[in-house]
């Protein structure tokens, strides 16, 4: 065929992938089943057990795993080392407890189901792992990755990714003699692993920032994109060479660059590749579903999927409750981590190759993991519905009585003060908030607060944004605030928009969105406190006014300079933060 080159590459394959994704994803989104299920369904249809358009699922999965790698890199960029250190108790404590407890319980169940004790141990360990590629996007698309339960769930996922290394070593240890199991080079392998981590850490601390400065000075955007991919793939490849997870290498590189001035540029450059390759990963998983094997063992697989997801949900719920989470957060955490993970595929393949389990057992376990991935969006949606029955019944998004000339989004401490100022001028207000506790507290003082998420376009329309002269965005979530501003600018351009900024970087984003006014939530109070401190030391009113003017002037100059230098990315960054964001410190 003319489309084939000397090495057998065919243009037909990428066309099939893109065509299947473009058909399946919008269809499944329309059915409200989510993009992930659409990708999986597309993989089943085009795969070797469907229409057979693509025959080699394993080679596609190898390439598609780069999507998971890029996802971990972007998540790492959002986690500063200080934040990661603050999560250490959840990573080591909750994460380790989850892996050990789920491995033990599921392993015992597998042993009861007539698996050899070695195979049962590996089955328990593999099914105890969860999928970062599924769990993180599910939380991110609801802006919950930065929530308390989201951060705890992500800490567990980090520990699980680290656990794959000793679990692979466990397979080698359990392998029968002569099958390539445990060797005398284990100590040397460990040394290479430590060396690989050391190289990435040193490069991240001392090499990458100077290199990026040199590349940025060339003014070539494609070189910056190439360098971003080089960093991610280089770190991933080094970790893989040392026998560790590629995803962990990318994550470590991201964490080390979290404090870099080029963080936002890197995130914007990587984002398109991450989305496409992550979609390809899900398609490849769908292609790997062995339909004949599934049909022969459908009842067994169905019962196993339900049992595994139920056991993991209950155990994670219990662990989360024991370690301080409330019932709602614990249940959502259990549901979002209830599936098997992509690293289970690696573990079961290694176990079959080392004769720790049979190929049929490995294939059945792989099918269980795959169908648990398919079921995850529905399970997570059910958990979300279960923890919000009161909100959906008692706090429906009913704006039939709403009106006025100004809309306030967010009625927390900040929004309450803003509302007092506006009402003092005689403005008629509509106030919305998604926190039912704030709504209850306001109702005790005679205020009418409507329930709704102000970052959603349909809620803004229902609240009457098209007739508002002024919209005050007073929420403390930078991603949600920026998303609300985008909706207002695009659909309600006549309204004046004033916004509470979370920090300096957020202020720059808002300036680029052309809001009418923005203020950093801590800046004015810090100025006031500083003046009060000097006044207590005897400073005169004239001195205080001069000092305040000087501080404000120098801050404005720095702000304008940083904005002109383009340290922070523009609209692409805002879109990325709307998908996945962890708030920065002020």
């Amino acid at each position: 065929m003319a489309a084939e080159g000397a090495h057998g590459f065919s243009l037909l394959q990428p066309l099939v992938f893109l065509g299947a994704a473009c058909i399946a994803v919008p269809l499944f989104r329309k059915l409200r089943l989510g993009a992930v299920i659409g990708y999986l369904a597309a993989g089943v249809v085009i795969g070797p057990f469907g229409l057979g358009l693509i025959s080699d699922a394993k080679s596609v999965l190898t390439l598609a795993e780069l999507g998971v790698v890029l996802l971990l890199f972007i998540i790492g960029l959002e986690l500063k080392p200080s934040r990661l250190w603050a999560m250490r108790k959840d990573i080591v404590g909750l994460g380790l407890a989850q892996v050990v407890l789920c491995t033990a319980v599921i392993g015992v169940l597998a042993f009861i189901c007539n698996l050899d004790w070695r195979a049962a141990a590996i089955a328990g360990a593999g099914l105890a792992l969860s999928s970062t590629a599924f769990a993180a996007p599910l939380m991110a698309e609801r802006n919950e990755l930065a929530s308390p339960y989201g951060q705890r769930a992500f800490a567990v996922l980090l520990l699980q990714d680290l656990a794959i290394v000793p679990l692979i070593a466990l397979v080698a240890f359990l392998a029968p003699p002569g099958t390539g199991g445990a060797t005398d080079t284990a100590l040397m392998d460990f040394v290479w692993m430590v060396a690989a981590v050391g190289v990435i850490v040193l490069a991240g601390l001392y090499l990458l920032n100077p290199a990026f400065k040199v590349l940025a000075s060339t003014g070539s955007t494609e070189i910056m994109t190439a360098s971003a991919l080089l960093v991610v793939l280089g770190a991933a490849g080094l970790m893989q060479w040392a026998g560790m997870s590629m995803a962990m290498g990318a994550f470590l590189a991201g964490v080390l660059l979290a404090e870099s001035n080029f963080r936002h540029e890197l995130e914007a450059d990587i984002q398109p590749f991450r989305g496409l390759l992550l979609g390809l990963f899900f398609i490849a998983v769908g292609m790997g579903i062995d339909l004949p094997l599934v049909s022969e063992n459908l009842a067994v697989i169905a019962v196993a999927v339900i049992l595994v997801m139920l056991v993991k949900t209950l155990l994670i719920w219990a662990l989360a409750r024991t370690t301080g989470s409330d019932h709602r957060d614990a249940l959502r955490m259990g549901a979002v981590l209830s599936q098997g993970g992509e690293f289970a595929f690696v573990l079961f393949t290694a176990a079959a190759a080392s004769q720790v389990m049979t190929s049929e057992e490995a294939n059945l376990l792989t099918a269980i993991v795959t169908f648990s991935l398919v079921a995850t969006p529905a399970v997570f949606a059910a958990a979300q519905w279960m923890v919000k029955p009161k909100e959906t019944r008692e706090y429906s998004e009913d704006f039939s009585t709403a009106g006025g000339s100004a809309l306030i989004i967010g009625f927390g401490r900040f929004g309450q003060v803003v509302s007092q100022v506006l009402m003092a001028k005689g403005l008629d207000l509509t106030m919305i908030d998604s926190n039912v506790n704030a709504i209850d507290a306001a109702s005790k003082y005679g205020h009418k607060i409507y329930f709704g998420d102000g970052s959603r376009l349909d809620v803004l329309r229902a609240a009457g944004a098209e007739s508002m002269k002024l919209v005050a965005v007073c929420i403390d979530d930078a991603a949600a605030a920026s998303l609300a501003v985008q909706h207002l600018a695009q659909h309600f351009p006549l309204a004046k928009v004033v916004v509470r900024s979370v920090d300096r970087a957020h202020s720059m984003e808002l300036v680029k969105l052309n809001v009418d006014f923005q203020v950093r939530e801590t800046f004015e109070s810090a100025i006031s406190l500083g003046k009060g401190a000097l006044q207590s030391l005897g400073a005169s009113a004239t001195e205080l006014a001069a000092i305040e003017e000087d501080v404000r002037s120098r801050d404005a100059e720095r702000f304008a300079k940083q904005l002109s230098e383009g340290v922070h990315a523009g609209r692409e960054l805002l879109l990325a933060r709307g998908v996945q964001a962890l708030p920065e410190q002020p």
Side-chain angles (χ1 to χ4, degrees):
M1 292 178 63
E4 293 187 2
H7 299 288
F9 172 77
S10 173
L11 189 60
L12 179 63
Q13 288 191 2
L15 288 176
V16 168
F17 285 126
L18 294 174
C22 290
I23 293 172
V25 173
L27 175 61
F28 278 77
R29 280 191 179 275
K30 190 73 173 178
L31 296 173
R32 296 186 177 181
L33 295 175
V36 171
I37 302 298
Y39 284 124
L40 290 169
V44 171
V45 171
I46 69 175
F49 302 104
L51 298 178
L53 299 178
I54 307 293
S55 58
D56 190 2
K58 290 185 177 179
S59 62
V60 175
L61 186 60
T62 300
L63 172 64
E65 284 176 355
L66 292 177
V68 182
V69 169
L70 297 179
L71 172 66
L72 264 293
F73 177 72
I74 289 178
I75 292 175
L77 284 175
E78 297 288 352
L79 277 178
K80 296 181 180 180
S82 58
R83 184 180 296 275
L84 193 61
W85 178 251
M87 295 168 60
R88 66 190 184 279
K89 291 183 179 179
D90 284 335
I91 295 174
V92 178
L94 180 60
L96 184 60
Q98 182 273 326
V99 171
V100 172
L101 186 58
C102 289
T103 297
V105 174
I106 298 175
V108 169
L109 292 174
F111 182 72
I112 294 173
C113 293
N114 296 322
L115 263 68
D116 177 77
W117 71 268
R118 296 177 182 83
I122 298 303
L127 294 174
L129 303 179
S130 305
S131 174
T132 303
F134 269 71
L138 279 176
M139 293 183 289
E141 69 185 13
R142 291 170 171 81
N143 289 325
E144 293 177 348
L145 194 56
S147 66
Y149 98 86
Q151 292 195 37
R152 300 199 79 195
F154 184 68
V156 173
L157 289 168
L158 283 181
L159 192 282
Q160 290 178 353
D161 288 345
L162 289 170
I164 191 62
V165 178
L167 289 179
I168 291 292
L170 178 63
V171 170
F173 179 78
L174 295 177
T179 59
T183 69
D184 294 332
T185 63
L187 180 59
M188 185 56 65
D189 291 340
F190 177 76
V191 171
W192 284 119
M193 291 178 185
V194 173
V197 172
V199 169
I200 292 176
V201 171
L202 291 175
L205 292 176
Y206 302 110
L207 179 62
L208 293 182
N209 263 319
F212 281 131
K213 287 180 181 178
V214 174
L215 294 172
S217 65
T218 65
S220 175
T221 56
E222 63 271 17
I223 291 300
M224 289 300 293
T225 301
S227 64
L229 289 172
L230 177 63
V231 168
V232 179
L233 299 181
L238 182 61
M239 294 292 266
Q240 185 186 43
W241 171 80
M244 299 180 73
S245 162
M246 288 195 299
M248 283 308 301
F251 174 77
L252 184 57
V255 170
L256 292 171
L257 288 170
E259 302 278 6
S260 169
N261 290 338
F262 301 93
R263 176 173 73 89
H264 297 304
E265 178 73 23
L266 292 170
E267 184 175 356
D269 288 339
I270 291 294
Q271 195 72 30
F273 299 97
R274 179 204 69 94
L276 285 173
L277 287 171
L278 201 56
L280 183 60
F281 171 81
F282 296 134
I283 291 178
V285 171
M287 290 171 59
I289 297 177
D290 189 335
L291 295 182
L293 179 67
V294 169
S295 62
E296 293 174 6
N297 301 275
L298 188 59
V300 173
I301 292 173
V303 171
V305 169
I306 294 172
L307 188 60
V308 167
M309 298 188 78
L310 182 61
V311 167
K312 289 185 70 175
T313 299
L314 291 176
L315 291 177
I316 294 171
W317 173 86
L319 287 171
R321 290 285 286 149
T322 303
T323 54
S325 294
D326 61 27
H327 167 68
R328 297 174 62 222
D329 281 356
L331 186 58
R332 285 188 288 188
M333 192 187 310
V336 82
L337 299 177
S338 62
Q339 78 289 129
E342 53 273 1
F343 290 126
F345 301 141
V346 178
L347 191 64
F348 296 150
T349 300
S354 300
Q355 298 180 21
V356 173
M357 63 176 59
T358 66
S359 296
E360 183 178 352
E361 290 170 344
N363 287 333
L364 281 173
L365 289 169
T366 299
I368 292 170
V369 171
T370 302
F371 279 96
S372 73
L373 293 173
V374 173
T376 298
V379 171
F380 186 53
Q384 294 278 27
W385 176 82
M386 289 174 63
V387 298
K388 293 185 178 180
K390 288 187 177 180
E391 291 179 17
T392 55
R393 285 197 297 265
E394 298 177 17
Y395 302 94
S396 60
E397 295 171 349
D398 178 13
F399 297 95
S400 57
T401 60
S405 57
L407 172 65
I408 293 184
I409 302 173
F411 198 69
R413 292 170 296 176
F414 194 95
Q416 291 169 23
V417 176
V418 173
S419 69
Q420 293 176 32
V421 175
L422 298 182
M423 285 190 291
K425 179 62 176 174
L427 293 178
D428 188 10
L429 307 180
T430 293
M431 297 173 283
I432 62 176
D433 201 299
S434 59
N435 187 326
V436 295
N437 294 325
I439 295 174
D440 287 338
S443 65
K444 295 177 182 178
Y445 297 95
H447 296 293
K448 173 62 176 177
I449 313 298
Y450 296 93
F451 175 77
D453 180 356
S455 66
R456 286 169 45 189
L457 177 59
D458 56 340
V459 171
L460 292 173
R461 289 189 189 280
E466 70 278 357
S467 63
M468 296 295 173
K469 296 179 181 178
L470 172 72
V471 179
V473 182
C474 303
I475 51 181
D476 61 358
D477 184 324
S482 296
L483 188 58
V485 170
Q486 290 179 69
H487 289 320
L488 292 166
Q490 183 175 356
H491 299 281
F492 314 108
L494 298 181
K496 298 290 185 181
V497 179
V498 297
V499 191
R500 167 194 189 176
S501 167
V502 172
D503 53 32
R504 194 178 192 86
H506 190 210
S507 290
M508 293 182 184
E509 295 172 2
L510 295 172
V511 169
K512 291 182 179 182
L513 282 174
N514 296 318
V515 299
D516 295 282
F517 181 77
Q518 56 76 30
V519 61
R520 278 170 276 161
E521 60 185 2
T522 57
F523 183 73
E524 294 297 331
S525 56
I527 291 286
S528 179
L529 182 64
K531 288 172 60 181
L534 293 180
Q535 189 174 23
S536 69
L537 295 176
S540 67
T542 303
E543 288 178 305
L544 291 176
I547 291 172
E548 178 181 0
E549 175 61 27
D550 179 60
V551 171
R552 290 184 182 275
S553 175
R554 286 189 286 110
D555 181 79
E557 289 177 3
R558 288 195 301 270
F559 188 91
K561 181 180 179 181
Q562 289 175 323
L563 196 61
S564 65
E565 289 176 349
V567 172
H568 297 274
R571 195 170 185 83
E572 289 185 359
L573 168 62
L574 297 181
L575 294 174
R577 289 187 69 165
V579 173
Q580 174 174 294
L582 292 173
E584 298 180 359
Q585 297 298 319

